[in-house]
Amino acid sequence: MLLKKVQIGFEDQFNEFPFEIELEGFHYFLTKDVTGYKLLSSTCPHAGGKVVHQGSCFNCPIHGWKFDYSGESINVPKQKLVHYNAFVENGILFAEIPQPIITSKPKQNALLEQDLIVKLHSHACLEFKYKDFSLLTDPWLVGPAFLGAWLQYPNPMVDVTTLEPSAIWISHEHSDHFHEPTLKYFKRNTPIYFPDFPNKRIEEKLTQLGFLNIYPMKFGRTYKIGPHVNITCFEPSSLWNDAILLIEMDGFRVLNLNDAGLNPRIAKYIGPVDVVASGFSPGASGYPLTWTHLDDTKKEQILQNSRLGLLKMLKQAVDLYGAKSIIPFASHFTLWHPTHRSYVKKLRKNTVMDVVEAFKDTTINVIDLLPGDYWNAKENNVVYVKRDRSKLYNQSEVLAYVDEAYNDDHFLEHHPNDYSITATEVEEYFLLLNKTSEIAYCEDLRVRVKVTNIDSTQHFFEVYFEIENGILKIEKESQDINLTIELSANILKKIITENLSWDEAHIGYWCKFSRDPDVYHAGFWRLLQTPYLRKSPQMPKSVHPRTITGDTVIADVLEFYGDEADRILRRYGLYCLGCHHSTSESISIGARNHGLNDIDVDKLLLELKKAFLPGGR
């Protein structure tokens, strides 16, 4: 990918700023200050949603991230919109924007030779059946997820023992997608594909479960998994551990966004698709309901904005990826435990009927599946199981369902009961964060961790720590706390002993939070989301300890450090192995040409250094 010089217009055309503009099929904001013109991407760096001009700033309606006219975030420290150079030549305003390389022109609306059946089994679990081959995605079919917090809703209609997929795809390590109790039902020789995440957790756990054919996939590389089926996974717009999957069956193309959000950076690389499949509702996070510094009115407002923002995101998705059909899925769940009933009552979610309504005045085909329904893509025909959709999402129906489904013994099979943890163990756990490269870009903040029993009636102990200039230090106590995390000892024990992502706790609504000021610490949550203990790259001792800087040529990094360097570069969207530009582009130039912002370029450099150089600096 190279930067392409494009004409915006005559300079005297632009008198008011910011000015929204479309170039090469992508939307930008043109701004101007004392330093000159700047072209800002309209893509939010969190989940790829489109920011809008609102009042005196830019706002992303999905999660409420806000940015000033320079592109710097107002409420998320150290985050910014990607910007590109804009300049004037002879009264004409130009900009340099990324020009993706399209290796081929994919066919859209391919004529399927046989029926392609797409069946929704549960939540994010789709099954694609074509020519005696079946691909199963993110199977969560038995029991709860997130340490006993989530239950499938509407309920699955399939007996997991009857499924014999030809292959399984796992998008990421959240337990509603990588669900170990469900995976135990499948034959151990079933091929399982998943993104090649740095922490190797999925790979290690699949090995422990006894699976024999496990395939970590490099981002941007196509894998032939059947005679007529190819799959390619792509990185999300953020650096969260998640993935987008392109499924190609004899040229028929389905883009499974799941809950990874949008990535406009890869749209032209992928080309137009026939179908987009995506999550469609809020609720897959404790925010805002578990955040105690927010009042009920504010929480309701945030949820409503998120509902509308996600519906807008679906419209952006079909437009961005050129799809004519959309499958709303990966939002079919509710909260299960009795202590979460108050959240169930306050949570307002989108339904598939809301998605149908959102697209009613468009030509987009909404495939409104509920668990048990299936779509014949060749005939464009949906077969529905018998459900009363008019009542299904009534609050009384949902509450009656979880009350009937809940059982203490069943819950305790999935929920930890070991409360034997000490303050020293917790302190040692957090100090280990200093060993990960991500902490260098964490915000400065002071944190209190309040540890209680399961129903928060008994206070065990508190741990205080401070992160300043990328170094975490334990404190005896602190007055000016930026973030308070309250959770029970058994949950914290589970996270520490099994090195779990903290997402299992806060997405499971097992934590309460409070922050002051009310800003989102994205760098800190990145530390907690991804377990920091991982396998070090197995590099030969004779590898040249070359200094890695932004000026290092990409091809040199690939030559010296091989496959592991390729994996890291692909995680950031740089599919450079074999690309002729890699011999002439430096890391910084290549990364910026691919749309990375300055923060992510710095993270990429630090990750390469940590992986390959003595001392990691």
Side-chain angles (χ1 to χ4, degrees):
M1 187 188 299
L2 297 173
L3 289 179
K4 178 181 180 181
K5 180 180 176 181
V6 297
Q7 180 176 324
I8 299 177
F10 291 99
E11 185 181 15
D12 57 12
Q13 290 179 232
F14 306 102
N15 298 317
E16 294 184 4
F17 300 93
F19 188 89
E20 187 171 1
I21 194 166
E22 181 177 336
L23 299 172
E24 303 286 319
F26 291 98
H27 293 271
Y28 302 89
F29 289 103
L30 180 67
T31 64
K32 185 180 182 181
D33 58 22
V34 293
T35 64
Y37 293 99
K38 185 180 294 184
L39 194 67
L40 299 176
S41 168
S42 65
T43 301
C44 180
H46 183 212
K50 182 182 177 183
V51 302
V52 295
H53 185 212
Q54 190 175 72
S56 59
C57 67
F58 302 119
N59 177 57
C60 179
I62 300 177
H63 297 103
W65 285 30
K66 296 181 180 181
F67 306 86
D68 64 23
Y69 290 161
S70 73
E72 298 285 342
S73 178
I74 297 170
N75 59 349
V76 189
K78 294 191 176 183
Q79 297 295 315
K80 62 175 69 174
L81 297 173
V82 176
H83 71 273
Y84 302 100
N85 186 32
F87 52 91
V88 177
E89 291 182 356
N90 300 320
I92 300 175
L93 191 58
F94 292 91
E96 292 180 333
I97 60 174
Q99 179 60 37
I101 297 172
I102 304 177
T103 55
S104 63
K105 292 184 178 180
K107 295 179 181 179
Q108 190 186 29
N109 300 320
L111 295 176
L112 293 164
E113 296 181 5
Q114 296 182 14
D115 288 346
L116 165 61
I117 303 300
V118 182
K119 188 167 188 177
L120 177 62
H121 288 306
S122 170
H123 187 52
C125 182
L126 291 169
E127 185 175 14
F128 298 84
K129 290 185 177 181
Y130 184 64
K131 289 187 175 181
D132 299 322
F133 188 93
S134 69
L135 173 66
L136 197 66
T137 68
D138 290 332
W140 169 37
L141 299 169
V142 293
F146 293 109
L147 307 179
W150 284 27
L151 196 65
Q152 304 96 332
Y153 186 82
N155 59 298
M157 308 287 282
V158 65
D159 180 352
V160 66
T161 63
T162 66
L163 295 177
E164 295 186 2
S166 307
I168 294 173
W169 154 259
I170 296 170
S171 62
H172 61 294
E173 55 199 73
H174 288 166
S175 58
D176 60 322
H177 300 265
F178 178 40
H179 193 250
E180 295 179 59
T182 297
L183 290 171
K184 291 177 181 179
Y185 282 90
F186 296 110
K187 294 179 179 178
R188 295 306 188 266
N189 62 349
T190 305
I192 301 186
Y193 296 83
F194 52 92
D196 188 14
F197 293 130
N199 61 36
K200 305 291 185 183
R201 189 171 77 152
I202 294 178
E203 182 176 350
E204 291 169 354
K205 290 202 171 185
L206 286 174
T207 300
Q208 293 170 9
L209 288 170
F211 285 95
L212 303 173
N213 300 306
I214 56 179
Y215 300 98
M217 296 174 62
K218 293 184 178 180
F219 289 103
R221 178 174 294 178
T222 298
Y223 295 75
K224 189 176 185 65
I225 65 172
H228 304 273
V229 183
N230 293 334
I231 59 174
T232 313
C233 72
F234 296 92
E235 73 285 356
S237 61
S238 69
L239 291 179
W240 305 112
N241 273 5
D242 212 327
I244 295 167
L245 184 70
L246 176 66
I247 308 167
E248 299 176 282
M249 294 154 286
D250 276 348
F252 189 87
R253 316 178 85 232
V254 178
L255 191 66
N256 183 350
L257 301 177
N258 217 308
D259 50 13
L262 307 181
N263 187 351
R265 206 167 57 220
I266 63 175
K268 288 189 176 181
Y269 183 91
I270 292 175
V273 301
D274 296 283
V275 186
V276 163
S278 174
F280 61 93
S281 179
S285 167
Y287 183 80
L289 294 180
T290 59
W291 292 74
T292 59
H293 67 283
L294 301 170
D295 60 33
D296 286 345
T297 300
K298 183 65 175 177
K299 291 176 181 178
E300 185 176 348
Q301 179 187 357
I302 291 171
L303 286 170
Q304 177 65 6
N305 289 341
S306 184
R307 286 182 62 195
L308 297 176
L310 282 164
L311 293 175
K312 290 180 180 178
M313 187 194 77
L314 297 183
K315 293 181 178 180
Q316 295 168 30
V318 296
D319 182 53
L320 180 65
Y321 299 111
K324 294 186 177 181
S325 297
I326 185 166
I327 301 175
F329 82 129
S331 299
H332 299 292
F333 72 92
T334 187
L335 298 174
W336 189 41
H337 194 263
T339 59
H340 293 160
R341 291 295 187 271
S342 62
Y343 299 140
V344 176
K345 294 176 182 178
K346 294 177 182 177
L347 186 59
R348 298 291 182 268
K349 298 181 65 178
N350 288 327
T351 70
V352 292
M353 291 83 83
D354 293 324
V355 180
V356 172
E357 178 68 18
F359 283 93
K360 69 176 182 179
D361 295 325
T362 75
T363 60
I364 300 302
N365 176 34
V366 179
I367 306 161
D368 56 337
L369 304 178
L370 290 178
D373 301 339
Y374 67 87
W375 176 55
N376 186 329
K378 188 175 187 295
E379 304 296 333
N380 190 25
N381 179 49
V382 177
V383 177
Y384 301 100
V385 298
K386 189 176 181 180
R387 291 185 191 270
D388 188 345
R389 294 191 172 203
S390 64
K391 295 182 179 179
L392 189 63
Y393 292 99
N394 289 347
Q395 188 178 97
S396 58
E397 292 286 326
V398 178
L399 289 170
Y401 173 78
V402 292
D403 284 340
E404 183 179 352
Y406 182 76
N407 176 279
D408 269 330
D409 292 336
H410 189 195
F411 169 73
L412 291 174
E413 291 176 10
H414 302 272
H415 193 75
N417 60 5
D418 185 354
Y419 291 78
S420 60
I421 191 168
T422 66
T424 300
E425 289 177 284
V426 177
E427 292 172 353
E428 290 174 349
Y429 168 84
F430 280 110
L431 285 171
L432 284 172
L433 291 176
N434 287 314
K435 293 187 176 182
T436 182
S437 60
E438 290 288 347
I439 199 167
Y441 296 97
C442 181
E443 306 83 0
D444 290 351
L445 74 162
R446 291 172 296 278
V447 181
R448 174 175 60 183
V449 181
K450 184 178 178 182
V451 184
T452 67
N453 67 350
I454 190 170
D455 59 4
S456 301
T457 58
Q458 184 177 351
H459 178 209
F460 286 176
F461 58 83
E462 294 181 352
V463 168
Y464 296 83
F465 61 85
E466 179 180 22
I467 300 176
E468 186 175 11
N469 296 323
I471 299 174
L472 187 148
K473 298 179 180 179
I474 300 297
E475 302 287 347
K476 291 184 177 179
E477 194 168 343
S478 181
Q479 298 298 319
D480 300 318
I481 298 296
N482 304 128
L483 177 66
T484 295
I485 305 173
E486 180 181 331
L487 75 167
S488 60
N490 59 328
I491 297 291
L492 187 54
K493 176 79 172 184
K494 181 82 168 178
I495 291 173
I496 289 179
T497 56
E498 297 188 19
N499 195 32
L500 296 182
S501 166
W502 277 72
D503 287 358
E504 293 298 307
H506 84 80
I507 292 179
Y509 289 67
W510 297 118
C511 301
K512 292 182 180 179
F513 304 92
S514 178
R515 61 191 184 202
D516 182 23
D518 187 14
V519 297
Y520 179 57
H521 305 101
F524 178 67
W525 284 110
R526 168 66 182 163
L527 288 175
L528 298 189
Q529 189 242 11
T530 307
Y532 47 82
L533 297 176
R534 64 181 180 90
K535 293 179 181 177
S536 298
Q538 300 300 309
M539 301 300 300
K541 297 296 184 181
S542 59
V543 166
H544 192 292
R546 186 182 180 91
T547 300
I548 299 176
T549 70
D551 295 327
T552 302
V553 175
I554 294 173
D556 286 350
V557 176
L558 291 170
E559 179 182 352
F560 280 120
Y561 306 119
D563 191 62
E564 281 294 334
D566 181 42
R567 177 186 59 74
I568 293 172
L569 290 169
R570 285 175 182 272
R571 178 67 183 88
Y572 288 79
L574 278 70
Y575 315 136
C576 301
L577 190 62
C579 174
H580 65 280
H581 296 297
S582 66
T583 60
S584 58
E585 287 188 350
S586 68
I587 296 173
S588 291
I589 291 175
R592 290 188 173 90
N593 286 351
H594 282 68
L596 272 69
N597 61 33
D598 294 342
I599 294 172
D600 289 341
V601 174
D602 288 342
K603 288 180 179 178
L604 168 59
L605 288 169
L606 188 57
E607 186 168 347
L608 289 169
K609 293 174 185 178
K610 283 280 188 179
F612 305 123
L613 300 184
R617 295 285 180 178

